[in-house]
Amino acid sequence: MAERYYQPEIECAPREKMIALQNERLVKQVKHVWDNVPYYRKKMEEKGVTPDDIKSIDDLHKLPFLSKADLREAYPYGLMGKPLKDCVRIQSTSGTTGKRVVAFYTQHDIDLWEDCCARAIVAAGGTDEDVCQVSYGYGLFTGGPGLNGGSHKVGCLTIPTSSGNTERQIMFIQDLQATILCCTPSYAAYLGETMKEMGLTPDQIPLKAGIFGAEAWSEEMRQEIQNVLGIKAYDIYGLTELSGPGVSFECSAQSGMHINEDHFIAEIIDPDTGEVLPEGEQGELVFTSITKEAFPLLRYRTRDICRLSREKCPCGRTHVKMMKPKGRSDDMLIIRGVNVFPSQIETVLLNYGYPANYQIIVDRVNHTDTLDVQVEMTTEMFNDQLGEISKRQKELADGLRSMLGISAKVSLVAPKSIVRSEGKAVRVIDKRKI
Amino acid sequence: MSVKQISVFLENKAGTLQGMTAALAENNVDMRALSLAETNDFGIVRLIVDDVYAASTVLKEAGYIHNVTPVLGVCIPDEPGGLHKVLQIMGEANINIEYMYAFLGAASTGHAYMIFRVQDRKAAAAALRTKGIRLVDQDDIAQL
C-alpha cells in the first residue's frame, strides 16, 4: 500500500525548506510573545535577551526555559498571547502531578491542532472510507477533542464514544464496523482482553489500526495489543501545554514519532544543566511552539526523556522522529537511589509472559525503599504445584533485578483485582512519606 | 484410573477462602477433601469434589483461576501401619511424591483415602495394584 499523507507538501518537505519556515515562524513568534506575554518577556529580560537576538532557530538556545512550575505560577491567564475575546476553547491537564494546567486556544489554534491529528490518522492508514472510534475521554482532556477533530478533517465516520462503558465500546466496534480505534494503550489492551474473553478472535474484530497515546507504553505492549485486536498499533504523542495529541505521531515504519516541525521545534537538553545536547543523544525533550496564538510556549520543558533521530524514514516523511519516551520524568521513580521507569517493568513482565496489567507499589520500610510489583495470575501461568509457581515468580524477580539494577518483590494477585483504567492507567502507588 | 483434583489460586488475604466456598455451596457442589498450600502472599487450594464439571464451571464464572489435574486416589486400610504400607510400596518403586493429603471415608467402610500427587502416576498405580492396594477413581469419589 502506497504511503498517504494528509499534507504531503509539509510532511515531506525538504529539510532546507522546513528550516526556512521554522526560522520565519520562530522570529515572528518570539516577537508575538515579547509583545503579549509579560510573564515570558520578564524572563527574557532577566536573561538579557530581546527579540532582536533571535534571528533563526540557531538562536533558540538563547531563550529562557518554561517549566511546569511556571505554568502553575502563571495560572490561569499569565501565559496567554491573545485576549480572552479571541479565544474559543480551553483544555486542561488531568492534574495527576499537581495543579491543573489550563491551555487556551483560538479557532486558528484548534484548526492547526486538528490538522496535526489528521496527519496521525492518515499515517495510520485512515481515509474517508474509515470508521474511527474515539474512545479517549472527551471534555477537558485533549485526547477526545483532538482526535475527534482530526477524524473529521480526514473525513472518517467518527464515533465519539468517549472513554468508559466497555460493553458499549465493543458493541459499536462490532455493529458499526469501526476500523480505527483511538484510546490509551492500557484501555486498548483492556478492550482486547475483554473481546478475547467474549470469544472474539482478531479476524472477527473489524479494527485495522489503533492510535494510542497519553501514556508511556512499551514495544512488547504494542505486540500484545496488535495480536489480540488484529491491528497495527500506532503511537501518538502530545501535551495539553502545546495543544494535545498530535505533537508527534507514528507512521507505517512504527519506529519513532514524526514531530510536526512546522508547528513545534524540538530540542534535547541535559535535564540537569539545561545544555542543548547533540542530535541523537538522550535527554529531556523541550518544545517551542511556533504557530500557537493563544498559548504560545517557548522552550517548554516536557520532562519526557527520549532522543531524536533524523535518519531517513521509509515512509517518506522528512520530519524528525522522537523515539518512544522512556517515560515522563514525573513517572520516573527513584528507588534506593536508582532511576526506575514503569515502562521498564512493563517490558520485563511482557517478556516473561505476564499480562500488561500490573501495579507498582513503592514503600519505605525501616528507611529502605521497597518495590513490590503486583501482577495478576493467569490460567496459563497457574499450576497446582506451589514450587512451579514460586519458580516462575523467582524468574520474574530475577528478570526485574537485571533490568532495573535493584531487587523487586513480585506479588501474584487474583485476576481482575488490579483496577482497569478507562483513561490513563494508575500504575504506581508510592506510599513513601518523604 | 484417577481422581480429578481442582486447584484454585487464592490470594493470602482474609475472606478469600470463604468467598470460594460460598460460590461452591451456592451451587450445591459437595467437597470430599480439601488441602491448602500457601506462601506469604498466595495460596493454592486443592479440592476433591463430587462433580468436577459443575465445580469447574462455578469457579470459572466466579472468576477464579484454577485447573484440573489427575491425581491418585488410594484406599488405605483404616488401621495402624495402613499408610506406611502404601508409602513403602511407592518407595520401593522409586515413585517421587510431590504432595499428598488425607481424607476420611465413611467409618463403616473401614477405609481412609489418601490423595497422592506423584511424578509418574501410571507407574505408581501399577506398583500399588500389584501389591493389592485398592485405588479409587472419580466415579467412586462421586458416590462416597
Side-chain angles (χ1 to χ4, degrees), chain A residues 374-387 389-390 393 409-417, chain B residues 5 7-11 13 37-39 41-46 63-67 69 71 98-99 117:
Chain A
Q374 302 197 328
V375 278
E376 290 180 357
M377 180 53 103
T378 63
T379 308
E380 294 76 42
M381 266 196 283
F382 184 61
N383 190 291
D384 67 304
Q385 285 170 283
L386 215 50
I389 299 177
S390 299
Q393 211 175 357
K409 176 176 185 268
V410 172
S411 297
L412 298 169
V413 298
K416 311 265 154 142
S417 63
Chain B
Q5 169 190 271
S7 308
V8 189
F9 175 82
L10 289 180
E11 277 186 65
K13 276 200 270 197
E38 85 287 339
T39 68
D41 46 60
F42 71 91
I44 301 172
V45 180
R46 299 166 182 139
Y64 288 97
I65 298 281
H66 66 283
N67 70 9
T69 329
V71 290
E98 312 272 5
Y99 58 79
R117 170 76 152 98

Side-chain angles (χ1 to χ4, degrees), chain B residues 61-108:
Chain B
E61 275 167 13
Y64 288 97
I65 298 281
H66 66 283
N67 70 9
V68 177
T69 329
V71 290
L72 212 54
V74 183
C75 240
I76 314 268
D78 195 0
E79 60 188 30
L83 174 62
H84 177 66
K85 188 177 165 197
V86 170
L87 292 178
Q88 218 173 9
I89 297 168
M90 299 241 232
E92 280 161 12
N94 220 6
I95 304 290
N96 186 24
I97 300 168
E98 312 272 5
Y99 58 79
M100 56 185 269
Y101 50 98
F103 72 104
L104 296 174
S108 58

